[in-house]
Amino acid sequence: QSSPKMRLMMCGITKMFPSFISPSHPISSKSSNALLRTVAVTLITNPVVLSTAFGALFYLSGMPVPVFLESACRALGNSVMPCALVSLGIVMGARLRGGQGGRFRLGRQAVILIGKQLVQPAIAWFALTMLGAEALWRSMGVLLAAMPIGTMAYAMSDSYKVAEDDAAAAVIASTLISLLLMPLLAMFMK
């Protein structure tokens, strides 16, 4: 059985490959440095990136996870997914009732879904194979990489007011696709 720190580390590794939606307007060469600076600062100060980096550092330090912290995180983790899915459903229902639907871009959805649910698991399999991971760890890494897009993608797109409809559609579509994809990958990884 794996340690809690190793499970946290594997989860962090497979979720570190964020999907970026390209801007819909052309970028001039003068503004590219400013854009790169803005993206770098945004990524460095992003709570998801920071928590993953600090979690990796904590794992590498070799310190044990305090029992009270592990049990509190486990309880919080068990409640996050149902709450996130219910709140996403409420927001999507309000958008549809408000007549704001129809802004989903099929081409963008295809790129996001293929990248997340086919390319990312392939990268995880390749990387874990090249690193010499045992079959069990390689299987878990690939399955974690193939998991549906998390609701955090929608929450971040909504907070930055960028492609909210696309993010919501990607979360829902990837969840539906994973119902078919995950059992197939699990059979393939045996």
Side-chain angles (χ1 to χ4, degrees), residues 8-93:
L8 289 171
M9 185 71 172
M10 285 300 297
C11 187
I13 287 172
T14 59
K15 298 297 179 184
M16 281 290 287
F17 302 105
S19 299
F20 293 102
I21 300 171
S22 62
S24 59
H25 56 82
I27 300 171
S28 69
S29 61
K30 289 182 180 180
S31 66
S32 65
N33 285 340
L35 178 65
L36 286 174
R37 199 173 313 113
T38 301
V39 168
V41 169
T42 301
L43 283 175
I44 291 170
T45 59
N46 184 301
V48 175
V49 174
L50 286 173
S51 62
T52 302
F54 284 128
L57 289 174
F58 181 77
Y59 171 74
L60 294 173
S61 75
M63 292 178 10
V65 178
V67 175
F68 75 92
L69 184 60
E70 183 181 349
S71 62
C73 288
R74 184 173 315 213
L76 183 61
N78 289 338
S79 67
V80 167
M81 185 55 73
C83 291
L85 291 176
V86 167
S87 59
L88 179 64
I90 290 170
V91 170
M92 285 303 298

